[in-house]
Amino acid sequence: MMPIASSEMSANAPVTPKNILITGASGGIGTALAHLYATDKNTHLILLARNAAKLKTLAKRCEQLGATASFHVIDVTQRQHLQDLITDIDNQHPIDLIICNAGVTSHIGAQGEAENWDAICRVIDTNLYGVLASLNPLIRRMQTRQQGQIAIISSLGAYRGMPITPAYCASKAAVKAYGEALRGWLVNDNIQVNVICPGFVKSDMSDHFPGDKPLMISADKAARKIKRGLEKNKANLSFPFPLNLGMWFLMVLPAPLSDWFMRRFDYGGRR
Ligand SMILES: NC(=O)c1ccc[n+]([C@@H]2O[C@H](COP(=O)([O-])OP(=O)(O)OC[C@H]3O[C@@H](n4cnc5c(N)ncnc54)[C@H](OP(=O)(O)O)[C@@H]3O)[C@@H](O)[C@H]2O)c1
């Protein structure tokens, strides 16, 4: 049984995507992905996030690198607005690849206090409903075109809930399951679906994570791994390998042992 490392390729490898939409493009991983895809001059990048200034700078940089780029200021928790926007974008530039990357986190307090309710709602609204709303208008369109690729950025935290970030891990487990379900559903429509589960990646998000961050990699390195994995149509792309293996052990170990390991890494709740 190797549940994490399963990353088989489907028969239909995706065509090189031309129109690529990235949510959360203003952040660490999203920006690194945009830079990477921008080096192909046939690419049109559609960059979404809330921070207009960062998006504008990023779009300009992507054009310098060779691609064409447009950006849209949007809060992915505005579900109807988001769906209308994605429909409009898809009318103008039929989306070949969407990377659902926008995300936020929250954590328990230093003395084990409960997560703030507003923060919990923000995490679920952004990380779960934001992904569902991004994909809802697109799936039928991709089915009609019989072509498309959907990448969902989950997390290694999807495999084993960390006591320090309960709502975040729940949201990432939910989108991981959603992506796995979509992959089976849409395979006959020639739509590739890929679930990405990174470990720690240097970004604003990880800067605010209160626990240990073993084997953290740069956003550029994460983006290179993600792009390579998408080109190979990996069902599941979990990295880095040692942490991925560690999460697998945590899943199969008896709960008291895996709880003990969690505490050793300062994820146990009370810090
Ligand atoms: N960093 C890690 O260690 C790590 C590990 C595993 C998985 N991930 C996942 O990777 C993804 C990218 O994270 P990151 O590390 O690059 O963090 P980041 O630098 O904090 O970037 C988060 C991105 O999400 C956008 N975003 C947040 N809330 C939004 C909203 N309501 N509407 C629209 N955009 C929103 C942010 O843009 P604005 O603020 O401009 O809206 C930003 O572009 C997330 O899904 C995260 O959960 C990260």
Side-chain angles (χ1 to χ4, degrees):
M1 182 172 93
M2 284 298 283
I4 299 184
S6 62
S7 55
E8 71 285 355
M9 287 171 62
S10 86
N12 291 322
V15 293
T16 304
K18 180 177 174 340
N19 297 321
I20 302 175
L21 187 150
I22 304 173
T23 71
S26 63
I29 296 174
T31 294
L33 280 168
H35 286 162
L36 209 53
Y37 279 105
T39 54
D40 183 343
K41 66 177 180 356
N42 292 317
T43 300
H44 179 65
L45 284 161
I46 303 138
L47 310 166
L48 269 55
R50 293 168 302 182
N51 187 316
K54 282 189 182 174
L55 287 178
K56 191 172 175 190
T57 306
L58 177 61
K60 201 166 155 196
R61 179 69 190 131
C62 288
E63 300 217 318
Q64 286 166 351
L65 288 168
T68 56
S70 56
F71 69 90
H72 301 268
V73 177
I74 179 92
D75 182 335
V76 297
T77 68
Q78 305 294 310
R79 292 176 214 157
Q80 192 53 54
H81 187 185
L82 176 65
Q83 294 190 61
D84 294 344
L85 174 68
I86 289 187
T87 303
D88 283 351
I89 292 169
D90 194 64
N91 282 335
Q92 290 168 39
H93 302 283
I95 296 165
D96 299 305
L97 166 62
I98 178 168
I99 305 179
C100 298
N101 167 71
V104 290
T105 190
S106 72
H107 53 80
I108 61 168
Q111 304 307 319
E113 304 92 328
E115 288 174 280
N116 173 286
W117 176 246
D118 289 342
I120 292 174
C121 293
R122 200 161 44 247
V123 166
I124 301 298
D125 276 351
T126 308
N127 299 4
L128 175 55
Y129 284 117
V131 172
L132 302 188
S134 300
L135 296 178
N136 189 49
L138 263 190
I139 289 173
R140 219 164 290 134
R141 288 165 163 259
M142 286 183 169
Q143 282 181 305
T144 304
R145 293 197 285 271
Q146 290 283 289
Q147 191 256 316
Q149 187 170 15
I150 292 168
I152 296 176
I153 308 291
S154 174
S155 164
L156 282 185
Y159 289 107
R160 204 308 186 169
M162 294 193 283
I164 202 170
T165 49
Y168 177 78
C169 291
S171 72
K172 292 297 179 181
V175 292
K176 175 176 167 290
Y178 187 68
E180 288 159 359
L182 288 193
R183 185 169 171 100
W185 167 31
L186 298 173
V187 66
N188 291 332
D189 292 308
N190 196 31
I191 299 169
Q192 286 81 36
V193 184
N194 315 96
V195 176
I196 322 293
C197 297
F200 294 104
V201 178
K202 177 87 181 117
S203 71
D204 278 358
M205 181 180 284
S206 56
D207 285 350
H208 290 97
F209 180 77
D212 294 336
K213 289 165 255 190
L215 304 174
M216 186 156 72
I217 61 172
S218 70
D220 287 338
K221 186 168 182 186
R224 286 195 296 275
K225 281 179 180 288
I226 293 169
K227 184 167 182 283
R228 262 199 314 272
L230 295 184
E231 284 164 359
K232 292 179 177 168
N233 188 24
K234 298 259 190 186
N236 178 301
L237 186 62
S238 297
F239 58 87
F241 177 72
L243 214 53
N244 182 11
L245 192 65
M247 292 308 276
W248 181 76
F249 272 116
L250 287 179
M251 279 196 311
V252 297
L253 282 176
L257 253 184
S258 69
D259 289 347
W260 182 81
F261 275 114
M262 280 283 170
R263 283 194 298 275
R264 290 272 303 170
F265 275 104
D266 204 15
Y267 305 143
R270 246 159 254 272
R271 292 172 287 124

